[in-house]
Amino acid sequence: MGPWAVPWMMLCLLCLSPCARAQTKIPLETVKSWADAFGGELYSIVTKYSGSLLLQKKYKDVEPTLKIKEVDGLELVKKFSEQMESMLRRKVEAVERLVEAAEDADLNHEYNSSLEFDYYNSLLINDKDENDNYVELGDEFILEPNEHFNNLLVNTTYSDIQLPTNVYNKDPAILNGVYMSEALNPIFVDNFERDPTLTWQYFGSSTGFFRLYPGIKWLPDENGVISFDCRNRGWYIQAATSPKDIVIIVDVSGSMKGLRMTIAKHTIVTILDTLGENDFVNIIAYNDYVHFIEPCFKGILVQADRDNREHFKQLVEELQAKGVGTVSKALTESFKILREFRDAGQGGLCNQAIMLITDGAVEDYEAVFEKYNWPDRKVRVFTYLIGREVTFAPNVKWIACNNKGYYTQISTLADVQENVMEYLHVLSRPMVINHDHDIIWTEAYMDSALFASQAQSLLLMTTVAMPVFSKKNETRSHGILLGVVGSDVPLRELLKLAPRYKLGVHGYAFLNTNNGYILSHPDLRPLYKEGKKLKPKPNYNSVDLSEVEWEDQNEILRSAMINGETGYLSMDVKVPVDKGKRVLFLTNDYFFTDISGTPFSLGVVLSRGHGEYILLGNTSVEEGLHDLLQPDLSLANEWIYCITDIDPDHRKLSQLEAVIRFLTGEEPDLECDEELVQEVLFDAVVTAPMEAYWTTLALNMSLDTEAGIEMAFLGTRAGLMRSALYVGSEKISNKKFLTQKDKESIFTMDHFPLWYRRAAEHPPGSFIYSIVSEDESEGGGLPKVVTVSTAVSVSVDGKMGIAAAVGVQIKLDLLQRKFWMAMQQPNDTDCSGFDGACPLSCQDDILNCFLIDNNGFILVSKIPEETGKFFGAVDGSVMTQLLNMGMFRRVTMYDYQAMCKVPYHHHSGARPLLSPIYAFVAAVKWLISDFLIFLLEFNMSSFWHSDNLADAKAVFHHSHKHKKHDTLQPCDTEYPVFVYEPAIKETNGLIDCGDCQKMFVAQQIISSNLLLLVTDTVCDCSIFPPVPMDAKEVKYILPCPAGLHRPCHPRVCQGGKCPSAAIAVGVQSTAWLGEVSSPCRVTRPSLILPGGAVPPGQPFLGAPGGVCGIHPVPCPRCRSLTAPHTTPRSSASGCAPRSCAGGRTRATPSTLRKMPRTAGAPLGSPCARRCCCCPWCCCCGDAARDAPQAGGPAGQSRAGDTGSPPGTPSAPSRGVLHHRVQHGGSCCSSEGRG
């Protein structure tokens, strides 16, 4: 060993020793003095330039004249409900007048096959040929922009006709129908004059034409095609059909290869598109043997909701033709399923049918019908012969004609849409014969297809519709449906009847259906951004109440509202704000009632405390009017101070202009909310001195010392806003602030401004500082401005209310300058008592200084790129320690409306060349998956439990660029929000980072929501991972019924709503159900029969197979598993019939769920449209089963009692059937007649 070896070894040991590295000491007193100095200067600036002390004094001065009234939430919701009922009743009356006019017109019209008649074709109107002459059916049609109709060019004196491209516009049936429906024009106009709030009125004919009022110019799509067909719309199908149980049987024998299989698949998809929430379905494929295309659904029917339909469509695409077809076994299986569900009182309880799709039938199948369907013929059989071959046509036609069905032959893909839909005419015939003019209301939807070419804004609406029947005696028994009339009702028009000012700072109103689906809710986010375009989410109209009010863990609120009850509920809730980055902790009181005559319920939410008080001030009109005219004042234009959308002369008025004209008497016809106008006058008077105050400051500002203060603003609980600029408008950093482009900063129908809401929950006199995040700032890049606000409160008789909020917007540069100036010791500091660097400054290399807010977001950092980021992502070691010490706490939030990224998988065209390799790989995958299932069945999920979350992009969270082929799909996500505990005003600590210790000091900034955080930079603590805020997709997987050795692919959690992010085996980050981590926290059967029993062959979710869910989240779709199930009672149980008030549909809490469910789950038969029994009675079904069947004898030649021979041109198509829960008397008891 050389002479230098020992010294070098000693040096190495010293380097490795913890004590060899000097620890930076941060004096606590110094940090506190910095925080106090900075906080004091900041408070001085914002109070001065906001004028908060002056505004507080002005409201204090008028307290003796103020009254604070407590709101009676129950009375409020009842009043709103009555007003909404009255409004909707007017829409119904308009539709009823149209029905009467249409039926009378048809009664008086004689069909003329040679009729020649010119009408306004919406595609051709105003078009001219090369000779400058109007084209045929395209005469002059005056169009003018109309604000009531989204500023579209319309003709309010006449309707016009739209036809899909595949319907001939001069067809005799079309011409006769159009000529007959001309009688609707004066009714359209009269309806609009009676009720100027009406929007679109229309008549959709069963022949395919669509009469729309007011008339518009219809534009084709980019391919020159008019694809819109009124018969495919949900409102048409809901009004024209009844609930049904369907089993689709498809032939996959070898003869179906090629084009025939393609046509068959398209036929199945078309049938699925006619089904909705109230229908039940399954699909059986057959060749040498029978198999359910989804093994998890073997022997059952599943609810035909969107998710199950889409899943079926995916499986249909995978069907391959091979083997020999044997249809009798498939028919036997289908009849057994339908009989079991019929006898158990499950499913739709109205119509049952089998759809047979084949290219021929040669075997002896008559015995199957004799055993299972004759003589009653309770199940109709519809047959679709695929291909041009007619050899087997007599056999296939015989099957349909002898089972009250309908036969058609489909030779090309173009034939599918029209021919496959004929079954809807047959199933609707009993309703038509009985002339049941049932009023239907659709769920919320965006009819973007209707006016997509004219850039209609995507507004949520509902439609009221009624069927139109032929009343001619000679055709009455044939059950001829002429069409459907309807009218749209924008849901925002309904919510205008629940004035925002009566609901307080955090209050709101919402609407939902008897199925539990949201019609309107401030937290409903129906759109998502794909690239630069906003698109409707695939599931936007099936968002359940429990997915937005997810704190309702026992579903008390949801159950009461779907039952149409009136009541009250109080809940502690966590309200996400600022795109989910922050959270407000509130106690909300929920008041709810039904809207009579509709399937809707209304809820009103008031936050406990100041949210349940209304401030009533008094001032003279003269004094208030003078102050209303000040230029810095504006009113919430989405609020209804005065009704301006009825009289055309008023539509161009802003709400402020309307109020002024109302007060001055210029417009005596204006109808205004006098209570709200009085509050506005009072606030205008109290806040008037702020204009002069701000103006004086602006004139005397020093640009050297006070540069960066850009604007002052205030808002009152009456929606009044004032603002003043301290710089020229061209120098404003955030030009969107307080404009329509930044909805979060202004009063809207849904919410108060964010700066107002956050200030209301902060201690009085303290300011909320909020940095405009990177994705919101003008033009992108780093944040530039900080919004500062504080609440102004008043107290009367011990009641405290929030009268207003006031604030300033300042440049971030100003905050940073003041911060760095305060974060240093003077050069003449006495350093004799200090151990360490002195004088100390945050600019020193040994220190990192941060200014963060109460949710952990950085406002000031040495590194500019860290501004706006979450502190935990920058320094995980300190954030972890702050969480452990309780200065911050993690709050777990859930988003059940998120959109998650789905990777794009590229499939090479050369793959078939490698088929041996892929076959080997597939075999290996199969072995691995079987071994995985073996592990799963031994309940070893804990080994990979941490992997049950996958990266997701939540709408609430930071967006990022997706790869070109990545797509988004609905999912459930979990994400954290971090909240500062204000009781801890200061803390410090040492973090053991292995070979060193890192010191940090945290100090609260007075009168703010800010914290000063000083950390040591010498010690490397990178061994601590960052603390992320990313949303994680919660993935679920559910067990398969017994006898199957793989989990179900989509969901079979039938007792409750299963996650929309359910996944199949093979997807990364999956985990088996089980253990106590389940959100359901109860054990329930996966398929629950009405009595709560487990169906034969079905597993019991729980031990050891697990329960619904893999992660401890309050999954709203699983939580309903805990709801008690009501045992259905037979009609002999003595349940009394009850009246269907206005077609009101009711259901028990556990019966109507958003989740895809099998018919084994109790779908409570609601108070029926046609069979008014209690929800769980089987009287309708029993009556149908006991009723004599009037079907024709075996061998009769008529196809499904259609009155026309098989092979006649089938009726025009209809389309997607949206959800409705209904069934009943005529559709059942008239079975024999139709």
Side-chain angles (χ1 to χ4, degrees):
M1 183 178 291
W4 298 102
V6 172
W8 275 110
M9 290 178 64
M10 294 294 293
L11 181 60
C12 290
L13 289 173
L14 287 172
C15 291
L16 294 173
S17 172
C19 61
R21 179 171 296 182
Q23 173 190 304
T24 302
K25 292 186 178 180
I26 305 172
L28 304 185
E29 297 80 4
T30 300
V31 173
K32 187 175 188 314
S33 66
W34 288 351
D36 290 344
F38 175 67
E41 184 171 9
L42 209 55
Y43 181 78
S44 174
I45 291 173
V46 295
T47 52
K48 175 181 177 181
Y49 287 97
S50 68
S52 60
L53 298 180
L54 173 62
L55 187 61
Q56 180 68 71
K57 179 180 182 300
K58 292 299 179 183
Y59 271 103
K60 202 74 176 174
D61 292 343
V62 297
E63 274 186 4
T65 67
L66 268 177
K67 292 182 180 178
I68 295 184
K69 182 178 73 173
E70 188 168 357
V71 178
D72 187 331
L74 214 50
E75 287 301 316
L76 194 65
V77 74
K78 289 178 182 178
K79 178 182 176 183
F80 291 166
S81 172
E82 290 170 0
Q83 293 172 345
M84 292 179 183
E85 177 193 346
S86 176
M87 175 189 176
L88 296 178
R89 183 63 215 166
R90 292 197 299 271
K91 316 303 179 190
V92 172
E93 290 170 353
V95 169
E96 289 174 338
R97 286 191 288 270
L98 290 171
V99 170
E100 183 179 359
E103 292 184 347
D104 288 344
D106 175 71
L107 184 62
N108 297 320
H109 174 71
E110 289 293 332
Y111 183 85
N112 181 0
S113 59
S114 59
L115 176 67
E116 293 186 5
F117 173 66
D118 287 337
Y119 58 90
Y120 289 115
N121 185 306
S122 62
L123 178 65
L124 302 174
I125 54 173
N126 298 328
D127 286 356
K128 294 184 178 181
D129 58 20
E130 61 275 7
N131 298 322
D132 202 35
N133 297 319
Y134 288 107
V135 300
E136 188 178 17
L137 303 182
D139 207 348
E140 181 182 11
F141 194 74
I142 298 173
L143 298 171
E144 297 176 338
N146 191 306
E147 290 186 14
H148 187 64
F149 295 94
N150 301 316
N151 284 314
L152 289 176
L153 295 173
V154 300
N155 184 319
T156 55
T157 61
Y158 216 78
S159 63
D160 59 4
I161 302 296
Q162 177 270 341
L163 297 104
T165 299
N166 63 337
V167 176
Y168 177 44
N169 58 24
K170 300 284 273 189
D171 183 274
I174 295 294
L175 289 177
N176 277 268
V178 171
Y179 181 80
M180 176 273 294
S181 65
E182 285 283 299
L184 296 181
N185 273 311
I187 311 302
F188 285 141
V189 176
D190 181 61
N191 281 343
F192 190 46
E193 290 175 351
R194 293 188 189 202
D195 181 8
T197 65
L198 276 174
T199 55
W200 306 100
Q201 303 173 68
Y202 38 82
F203 169 66
S205 169
S206 60
T207 58
F209 74 83
F210 180 60
R211 181 177 287 278
L212 176 66
Y213 173 88
I216 65 166
K217 172 73 174 178
W218 205 288
L219 302 179
D221 61 20
E222 62 272 12
N223 300 315
V225 174
I226 300 291
S227 58
F228 177 87
D229 189 331
C230 63
R231 298 166 297 178
N232 290 340
R233 310 307 293 173
W235 51 266
Y236 186 100
I237 296 177
Q238 285 191 50
T241 61
S242 306
K244 45 202 168 290
D245 301 336
I246 302 290
V247 178
I248 302 172
I249 303 176
V250 57
D251 183 352
V252 291
S253 62
S255 62
M256 289 286 290
K257 284 185 177 179
L259 178 61
R260 291 184 180 182
M261 179 54 67
T262 302
I263 295 173
K265 290 178 179 180
H266 187 39
T267 301
I268 297 173
V269 170
T270 305
I271 294 173
L272 289 173
D273 282 340
T274 67
L275 306 180
E277 299 280 341
N278 307 314
D279 304 316
F280 293 84
V281 67
N282 207 336
I283 303 177
I284 296 175
Y286 74 92
N287 42 29
D288 302 291
Y289 62 94
V290 172
H291 67 276
F292 291 82
I293 68 169
E294 173 50 79
C296 287
F297 297 159
K298 181 178 181 180
I300 59 175
L301 297 176
V302 295
Q303 186 186 18
D305 67 357
R306 174 191 167 275
D307 297 286
N308 278 345
R309 293 198 310 269
E310 292 302 316
H311 180 56
F312 274 133
K313 289 177 185 179
Q314 294 174 11
L315 296 175
V316 165
E317 288 302 314
E318 299 171 4
L319 292 176
Q320 296 182 355
K322 59 183 178 181
V324 179
T326 308
V327 71
S328 59
K329 294 180 181 178
L331 286 170
T332 299
E333 188 71 22
S334 301
F335 279 118
K336 285 181 178 179
I337 294 172
L338 293 171
R339 183 175 65 183
E340 288 174 4
F341 278 77
R342 184 172 66 244
D343 293 345
Q346 300 169 358
L349 300 179
C350 202
N351 294 295
Q352 290 193 326
I354 293 173
M355 308 297 193
L356 175 59
I357 302 168
T358 181
D359 65 345
V362 296
E363 60 190 291
D364 182 16
Y365 35 73
E366 185 172 349
V368 177
F369 300 127
E370 288 179 345
K371 181 176 181 180
Y372 292 102
N373 205 38
W374 294 348
D376 294 338
R377 293 176 172 81
K378 294 179 179 178
V379 179
R380 296 180 186 267
V381 181
F382 297 86
T383 55
Y384 302 93
L385 182 62
I386 306 298
R388 299 183 183 277
E389 180 62 50
V390 296
T391 304
F392 300 107
N395 295 354
V396 177
K397 184 164 80 173
W398 183 91
I399 293 174
C401 293
N402 285 278
N403 291 278
K404 299 174 61 179
Y406 187 85
Y407 157 84
T408 187
Q409 185 168 3
I410 304 177
S411 304
T412 68
L413 286 171
D415 297 337
V416 173
Q417 182 71 17
E418 291 288 328
N419 292 329
V420 81
M421 299 298 184
E422 181 58 32
Y423 88 92
L424 290 175
H425 283 276
V426 178
L427 293 185
S428 66
R429 201 166 291 130
M431 178 184 69
V432 179
I433 292 173
N434 281 356
H435 278 239
D436 292 329
H437 288 97
D438 299 302
I439 300 166
I440 69 102
W441 292 91
T442 67
E443 75 288 345
Y445 71 100
M446 296 177 185
D447 207 343
S448 55
L450 186 57
F451 305 116
S453 61
Q454 304 198 25
Q456 182 199 30
S457 57
L458 295 174
L459 297 176
L460 281 171
M461 63 182 71
T462 183
T463 291
V464 55
M466 291 177 67
V468 180
F469 308 129
S470 173
K471 295 196 295 187
K472 295 179 179 178
N473 290 331
E474 62 270 23
T475 60
R476 190 180 184 92
S477 61
H478 296 176
I480 296 177
L481 175 72
L482 299 176
V484 173
V485 297
S487 181
D488 293 340
V489 182
L491 292 169
R492 291 186 74 83
E493 294 300 315
L494 274 179
L495 289 182
K496 286 179 180 178
L497 300 176
R500 191 69 192 73
Y501 75 97
K502 292 189 176 182
L503 306 179
V505 179
H506 305 296
Y508 54 90
F510 64 93
L511 295 162
N512 68 282
T513 71
N514 61 317
N515 277 335
Y517 294 150
I518 291 295
L519 279 173
S520 181
H521 193 290
D523 292 334
L524 177 65
R525 305 191 309 278
L527 303 176
Y528 75 102
K529 200 167 188 178
E530 190 170 74
K532 294 184 178 180
K533 292 184 178 180
L534 284 175
K535 295 184 177 180
K537 295 177 183 176
N539 61 337
Y540 75 91
N541 61 352
S542 58
V543 176
D544 196 87
L545 177 61
S546 58
E547 293 175 335
V548 289
E549 299 290 352
W550 52 269
E551 301 278 7
D552 180 28
Q553 297 195 21
N554 294 323
E555 297 204 345
I556 298 173
L557 174 67
R558 182 184 187 278
S559 300
M561 293 192 71
I562 66 174
N563 278 319
E565 297 174 6
T566 298
Y568 154 85
L569 176 69
S570 182
M571 284 193 294
D572 292 327
V573 297
K574 297 184 284 287
V575 180
V577 295
D578 198 9
K579 299 186 177 180
K581 294 184 295 186
R582 311 179 195 280
V583 63
L584 299 177
F585 299 92
L586 305 173
T587 299
N588 282 346
D589 292 327
Y590 292 78
F591 304 91
F592 47 86
T593 190
D594 69 330
I595 301 176
S596 180
T598 74
F600 307 146
S601 288
L602 170 68
V604 165
V605 180
L606 303 175
S607 59
R608 191 71 63 82
H610 60 78
E612 296 185 313
Y613 298 129
I614 287 184
L615 276 62
L616 301 176
N618 192 21
T619 189
S620 68
V621 172
E622 292 76 12
E623 186 180 11
L625 186 58
H626 173 268
D627 293 324
L628 270 180
L629 297 174
Q630 292 179 350
D632 69 325
L633 185 144
S634 64
L635 296 182
N637 219 39
E638 290 188 18
W639 289 19
I640 307 301
Y641 300 85
C642 297
I643 298 174
T644 59
D645 59 351
I646 294 181
D647 189 329
D649 295 334
H650 297 158
R651 287 179 185 147
K652 294 183 179 180
L653 296 177
S654 70
Q655 286 296 318
L656 178 58
E657 292 169 339
V659 169
I660 292 173
R661 294 196 181 192
F662 170 73
L663 293 173
T664 58
E666 293 181 44
E667 296 286 350
D669 296 335
L670 270 171
E671 184 180 342
C672 298
D673 186 330
E674 295 187 12
E675 181 179 322
L676 179 56
V677 169
Q678 180 61 42
E679 290 189 27
V680 166
L681 290 174
F682 180 79
D683 287 344
V685 171
V686 176
T687 60
M690 300 299 291
E691 181 192 25
Y693 177 84
W694 288 334
T695 302
T696 302
L697 284 177
L699 294 174
N700 295 294
M701 278 185 67
S702 168
L703 296 180
D704 295 331
T705 60
E706 296 160 330
I709 301 168
E710 297 192 338
M711 120 178 354
F713 55 87
L714 68 83
T716 75
R717 84 271 185 252
L720 178 147
M721 291 188 67
R722 290 183 184 271
S723 61
L725 298 182
Y726 290 122
V727 295
S729 58
E730 72 283 356
K731 296 181 179 180
I732 292 292
S733 302
N734 183 8
K735 293 182 172 60
K736 295 180 181 179
F737 188 65
L738 302 184
T739 70
Q740 288 290 330
K741 293 182 179 180
D742 183 6
K743 292 276 192 177
E744 288 290 307
S745 68
I746 62 174
F747 291 91
T748 69
M749 281 186 65
D750 293 331
H751 54 70
F752 275 51
L754 178 60
W755 47 266
Y756 195 125
R757 298 170 68 193
R758 293 189 66 203
E761 297 309 308
H762 212 57
S766 182
F767 284 84
I768 284 283
Y769 293 76
S770 179
I771 190 168
V772 179
S773 60
E774 180 178 337
D775 58 334
E776 297 172 316
S777 58
E778 185 76 21
L782 295 176
K784 298 178 181 178
V785 294
V786 176
T787 303
V788 190
S789 61
T790 186
V792 176
S793 61
V794 292
S795 296
V796 177
D797 298 331
K799 299 174 183 176
M800 192 275 288
I802 303 297
V806 62
V808 289
Q809 191 160 89
I810 61 177
K811 292 190 72 171
L812 186 59
D813 291 345
L814 172 63
L815 194 69
Q816 292 171 338
R817 288 200 313 270
K818 298 296 182 183
F819 180 81
W820 296 122
M821 287 175 59
M823 300 301 124
Q824 57 186 356
Q825 290 178 311
N827 292 329
D828 58 353
T829 301
D830 182 7
C831 297
S832 57
F834 285 92
D835 181 12
C838 183
L840 196 62
S841 169
C842 276
Q843 300 287 5
D844 295 341
D845 293 338
I846 60 172
L847 293 182
N848 262 338
C849 295
F850 301 91
L851 182 68
I852 65 174
D853 67 17
N854 59 322
N855 295 113
F857 291 97
I858 299 173
L859 281 78
V860 180
S861 170
K862 279 185 179 179
I863 303 174
E865 289 75 21
E866 293 176 349
T867 306
K869 292 184 178 180
F870 175 61
F871 177 72
V874 173
D875 192 333
S877 62
V878 176
M879 192 69 209
T880 300
Q881 192 67 12
L882 292 174
L883 288 168
N884 292 337
M885 299 172 71
M887 193 169 201
F888 275 85
R889 63 187 174 104
R890 182 197 308 261
V891 179
T892 302
M893 303 289 287
Y894 304 97
D895 182 8
Y896 299 109
Q897 301 176 68
M899 297 291 288
C900 296
K901 185 170 64 173
V902 180
Y904 172 79
H905 300 288
H906 177 71
H907 299 284
S908 171
R911 179 168 177 161
L913 301 176
L914 303 175
S915 56
I917 298 175
Y918 276 93
F920 173 75
V921 171
V924 172
K925 285 183 176 179
W926 180 83
L927 290 172
I928 293 174
S929 64
D930 262 21
F931 179 67
L932 176 62
I933 297 300
F934 170 77
L935 294 176
L936 294 175
E937 289 176 343
F938 276 86
N939 206 12
M940 298 176 66
S941 64
S942 58
F943 287 175
W944 56 86
H945 180 73
S946 61
D947 293 330
N948 61 353
L949 298 177
D951 288 338
K953 173 190 176 291
V955 175
F956 272 159
H957 286 77
H958 312 294
S959 60
H960 55 276
K961 293 183 180 179
H962 300 287
K963 295 180 182 178
K964 183 176 181 180
H965 296 292
D966 287 346
T967 59
L968 297 174
Q969 69 175 12
C971 62
D972 296 345
T973 59
E974 166 188 303
Y975 63 96
V977 175
F978 298 88
V979 180
Y980 165 61
E981 291 289 355
I984 304 176
K985 300 188 180 300
E986 57 186 23
T987 190
N988 64 88
L990 292 174
I991 305 171
D992 188 354
C993 301
D995 61 346
C996 63
Q997 290 184 320
K998 178 176 183 176
M999 184 176 182
F1000 69 92
V1001 178
Q1003 180 70 49
Q1004 185 187 66
I1005 306 293
I1006 59 171
S1007 301
S1008 75
N1009 65 324
L1010 302 177
L1011 292 168
L1012 169 61
L1013 201 52
V1014 183
T1015 68
D1016 164 23
T1017 62
V1018 176
C1019 180
D1020 181 11
C1021 264
S1022 57
I1023 61 171
F1024 285 84
V1027 179
M1029 281 196 70
D1030 298 331
K1032 300 289 184 179
E1033 180 183 0
V1034 182
K1035 294 193 172 184
Y1036 310 85
I1037 193 165
L1038 304 170
C1040 205
L1044 295 173
H1045 301 292
R1046 65 179 180 81
C1048 281
H1049 176 63
R1051 342 175 217 171
V1052 196
C1053 181
Q1054 302 308 329
K1057 302 180 299 296
C1058 287
S1060 59
I1063 56 174
V1065 168
V1067 181
Q1068 286 186 332
S1069 301
T1070 64
W1072 188 247
L1073 297 173
E1075 306 200 301
V1076 295
S1077 62
S1078 164
C1080 302
R1081 295 191 172 85
V1082 293
T1083 54
R1084 272 298 178 95
S1086 62
L1087 304 179
I1088 303 179
L1089 294 180
V1094 185
Q1098 302 300 329
F1100 192 86
L1101 288 178
V1107 289
C1108 176
I1110 59 173
H1111 193 67
V1113 298
C1115 163
R1117 301 184 185 88
C1118 293
R1119 203 166 49 239
S1120 57
L1121 283 168
T1122 61
H1125 281 70
T1126 304
T1127 304
R1129 294 172 285 175
S1130 69
S1131 57
S1133 65
C1135 65
R1138 75 181 178 198
S1139 132
C1140 291
R1144 169 76 188 170
T1145 319
R1146 300 183 184 277
T1148 54
S1150 61
T1151 57
L1152 298 176
R1153 293 287 185 252
K1154 175 183 183 295
M1155 79 292 184
R1157 50 179 174 247
T1158 67
L1163 178 68
S1165 304
C1167 177
R1169 299 192 310 152
R1170 308 177 185 81
C1171 181
C1172 294
C1173 299
C1174 56
W1176 44 83
C1177 288
C1178 302
C1179 57
C1180 175
D1182 292 341
R1185 289 191 287 272
D1186 298 336
Q1189 300 297 314
Q1196 73 182 69
S1197 61
R1198 291 174 62 197
D1201 307 335
T1202 60
S1204 58
T1208 56
S1210 58
S1213 67
R1214 302 166 180 84
V1216 180
L1217 172 62
H1218 293 284
H1219 74 272
R1220 177 183 72 248
V1221 181
Q1222 61 183 41
H1223 58 83
S1226 69
C1227 58
C1228 300
S1229 60
S1230 300
E1231 183 80 16
R1233 287 177 285 171

